Amino acid sequence: MEAVVKSIISEDLFVIQGPPGTGKSTAIAEIIWQHIRNHLRKEIAGSYKILVTSETNLAVDNALDKLRSRHHTLIKPIRFGSEDKLDKEGRRFALENLHNWVETGQDEMDEEEKFANVNIIEDWMQQISKRVTAYADENTCRIISDWQKELNNPTKHIRKLFFDAYTEHVNVIGATCSSIGKLSSTGKLTRFFNEYLKVYHPTVSFKESFRKKIEFDLVIQDEASKASPPELALPCIYGKKAILIGDHRQLPPMVDTNEFKENLNNLKNKSKDKEYRRSIARLIRTIDGNRTSFEKSHFETLFKKIPTNLKTTFNLQYRMHPAINETIKQFYIEEGGLDCGLIVPVDLGVNAPDLNNFASRYHGIEVGDLLTSETHVLWLNVDTPEFKKGTSRVNYGEIEAIDYLIHRISNSERFKEFISFWPDALMEEKQIGVITFYGAQAGMLGELKQKYPLVPLRISPVDRFQGMERNIIIISTVRSHCIAEFPNQKPDYERFGDLGYPKQPSLGFAEFPNRLNVALSRAKRLLIIVGNAKLFSQKKIYSNVLDTIKGHPNARFVNFKDLEN
């Protein structure tokens, strides 16, 4: 509520830090509604135009999906962008899909998607069809019945009428940061601008189109902490006011300084201008001397320096069971901590076996000596060596442990009961998410999909999982306190002592706490960490996680080699 009120009062800029599961998408929907409502109340002529953007397609699609209301159609969103890059939540709003529907009566969505997501104009028509029954009486009953039949099976003429009426009043546009702009690098009009013209200037000629500007009253940018400075700034150029939402305790922009340097060196080598070559050399030295700056998001700098009245932080999360929340709350100490809103200020039924209860984080899975229905966090300790695979890393012992976990969990009757509760349209609720810090490990874990074709799995590197959630998450940390020189290398105790392999003290990608925060915060009901406790306990922030797990009544620490085969 504080965020919504402050965002309305602020004149040109407002910043929100939203940790995992704190309801950022819900807040965005409410902020949009209140700004449009404010505009309508003031009876200002013309449409209030809002741009909703993010560095990722997923965040944009999720934000738009939250805007649908069963009570009104005053918010009319459209999604810009290539339809093949959008998630099902975004395709229902896609301008391309809506055009296709007008022409053919068909959506570019598969049957599973249609089951849960008719396009936004069809949704509007269904709402009208339901509402008119409230006005039916003896004199109008037949007319209304005929009208409903027309709405439920619209001709092309009627589809076009509704499409034109909808697009005439569109007040929210969704698009990714990098797509926004008027001209491409080749000087041609961008797809974004062409679609902007189709919605807001449908009759303008090609010649006149170059004189039109991209203008929005409000720009809302989600996942702003993942945006590079250009991505952060670009949408704001086109808005009178900007609201930036992100979390600098999660992943920053993925900036490869080595790639920067390589490209700059190529430019330097191609140039014959000595001053230009010297300026590039200075830039390369600047990069070398400020590598840590590239690991920090511009959002973080902005959030820490902006006045208090222009920012706020959410501190209640509604995604994770309280035991999972305990593993990540340490990341938010500077911002006042992070509590589980499912039990604070009152318990809403977080352990209720009734899965229909929105607050329930019960899973009910029982797996012998491994899991009980009261276990919500498990650290499965694996001490096998890692080894290099190209520029990436792999740990066969962790793959074996995850294979074991999936085998035992999927054969549990309680697990079968759990996933059968969710309809096929809610596949995200059924899936076990398997995430890892290394791409090579993710590739090898992907083979488990073939081994367990009946088990719904989503396997991905952690960098691609930010913004997602699953009921059950298994994390493969990969790094070990020892390293093998080649796959399946046998231990050599005479050469390497007690470990049998060379020592390996580095945490690699996992050294970055933000990446761990993202990994730990994806699970709603059951979090399983497969990793080398000996290595990870060397760093304070990880030893805190281990201590939390070992001391919590809803968490367990288990050595993989001690489990029954």
Side-chain angles (χ1 to χ4, degrees), residues 292-489:
T292 55
S293 298
F294 289 91
E295 297 175 357
K296 185 177 180 181
S297 72
H298 193 58
F299 176 90
E300 179 176 354
T301 303
L302 180 62
F303 182 82
K304 290 185 175 180
K305 292 186 177 182
I306 202 168
T308 304
N309 63 313
L310 295 178
K311 65 180 176 182
T312 193
T313 297
F314 296 157
N315 55 14
L316 287 175
Q317 67 80 20
Y318 300 87
R319 173 188 296 163
M320 296 161 267
H321 186 277
I324 302 174
N325 186 85
E326 288 295 310
T327 68
I328 71 161
K329 64 187 296 185
Q330 61 180 313
F331 297 107
Y332 297 95
I333 293 172
E334 287 184 26
E335 290 79 29
L338 183 67
D339 291 319
C340 179
L342 303 172
I343 61 170
V344 175
V346 295
D347 189 339
L348 301 174
V350 73
N351 292 314
D354 180 10
L355 299 183
N356 287 303
N357 180 350
F358 84 96
S360 172
R361 293 299 177 265
Y362 178 84
H363 58 74
I365 300 169
E366 302 275 351
V367 182
D369 57 343
L370 189 63
L371 291 172
T372 72
S373 59
E374 295 180 352
T375 305
H376 293 276
V377 183
L378 169 68
W379 186 296
L380 190 58
N381 186 43
V382 176
D383 57 8
T384 54
E386 62 178 86
F387 80 93
K388 291 182 181 179
K389 187 173 184 181
T391 58
S392 193
R393 305 266 170 161
V394 168
N395 189 316
Y396 279 127
E398 290 190 11
I399 295 171
E400 180 186 349
I402 292 171
D403 186 344
Y404 173 88
L405 284 166
I406 294 171
H407 172 73
R408 293 205 63 189
I409 290 173
S410 63
N411 283 311
S412 162
E413 290 301 319
R414 301 291 291 274
F415 172 74
K416 294 172 184 176
E417 291 173 13
F418 176 77
I419 62 169
S420 67
F421 173 82
W422 310 102
D424 290 341
L426 297 177
M427 182 54 66
E428 291 89 350
E429 301 290 345
K430 291 174 173 283
Q431 283 179 333
I432 297 175
V434 182
I435 57 181
T436 178
F437 296 131
Y438 288 88
Q441 184 84 341
M444 299 194 75
L445 285 167
E447 297 176 9
L448 295 175
K449 285 186 174 183
Q450 283 71 49
K451 186 171 182 178
Y452 300 100
L454 300 180
V455 182
L457 297 172
R458 175 66 182 256
I459 300 172
S460 171
V462 66
D463 292 16
R464 297 180 188 173
F465 223 90
Q466 181 162 325
M468 291 192 243
E469 61 184 25
R470 292 295 184 272
N471 281 312
I472 302 171
I473 289 287
I474 301 173
I475 301 170
S476 174
T477 59
V478 179
R479 301 309 292 258
S480 174
H481 65 293
C482 56
I483 184 168
E485 297 170 340
F486 52 85
N488 300 314
Q489 178 184 351

Side-chain angles (χ1 to χ4, degrees), residues 264 267-282:
L264 287 169
L267 287 173
K268 187 178 75 169
N269 294 335
K270 290 178 182 178
S271 177
K272 296 180 180 179
D273 185 325
K274 290 183 179 180
E275 182 54 38
Y276 183 64
R277 288 167 62 89
R278 280 196 291 267
S279 68
I280 291 179
R282 285 195 298 270

Side-chain angles (χ1 to χ4, degrees), residues 5 54 96 113 127 139 157 172 194 249 251 317 372 378 402 436 440-441 485 498 501 562:
V5 172
S54 174
E96 182 181 340
E113 289 176 337
Q127 286 200 45
N139 299 318
H157 175 66
V172 178
N194 276 316
R249 302 299 178 188
L251 293 176
Q317 67 80 20
T372 72
L378 169 68
I402 292 171
T436 178
Q441 184 84 341
E485 297 170 340
D498 292 343
Y501 302 93
D562 294 339

